[in-house]
Amino acid sequence: EVQLQASGGGLVQAGGSLRLSCAASGFTFDDYAIGWFRQAPGKEREGISCTNLNDGRTAYADSVKGRFTISSDNANDILYLQMNSLKPEDTAIYYCAAVFDCGRRAGPYGSSWLRRVFGSWGQGTLVTVSS
């Protein structure tokens, strides 16, 4: 079973930083991609990044570009999302999910990444940014 578990959320002040972790299992880590997604209160789930694990290249949604950074620990099948300069609008439940391939375009709100997700979503981890 393909499983990815996001962790590391918490309460952060605006302008602060937080690092989320995504632990993956059930698939060959380097053969696929991992996306980060979030769902803010009252809004639809959106894709914020997609990382092709075979080459380590990451595409970011405009909303987080320049503030969020992906890194990976391939030996332990962990992907990290470093979030800096957090804003109240970043408040959301954050999920990571296995993706077949990031593709050429993210689509609106990362919709193309969402459509490429396989496996379960898991519970996600809550990030709350206070102002």
Side-chain angles (χ1 to χ4, degrees), residues 20-131:
L20 305 185
S21 299
C22 176
S25 64
F27 69 103
T28 303
F29 191 78
D30 293 345
D31 286 349
Y32 299 99
I34 293 178
W36 279 96
F37 306 85
R38 67 184 182 185
Q39 188 165 16
K43 296 185 178 181
E44 297 294 322
R45 190 171 299 180
E46 63 176 332
I48 59 173
S49 74
C50 188
T51 302
N52 281 311
L53 299 174
N54 59 351
D55 60 13
R57 297 182 64 181
T58 298
Y60 299 91
D62 290 341
S63 60
V64 305
K65 192 176 299 182
R67 300 188 297 119
F68 292 9
T69 304
I70 295 294
S71 62
S72 63
D73 178 358
N74 287 22
N76 293 293
D77 294 351
I78 302 173
L79 195 77
Y80 300 100
L81 174 63
Q82 179 66 45
M83 305 185 296
N84 298 324
S85 301
L86 284 163
K87 307 173 181 179
E89 52 262 44
D90 294 319
T91 295
I93 298 175
Y94 283 73
Y95 306 83
C96 60
V99 177
F100 284 109
D101 186 82
C102 295
R104 296 181 178 181
R105 298 284 189 273
Y109 303 100
S111 58
S112 71
W113 299 335
L114 283 165
R115 288 192 289 268
R116 296 168 183 264
V117 167
F118 66 96
S120 63
W121 283 101
Q123 296 182 9
T125 186
L126 177 62
V127 173
T128 303
V129 183
S130 65
S131 59

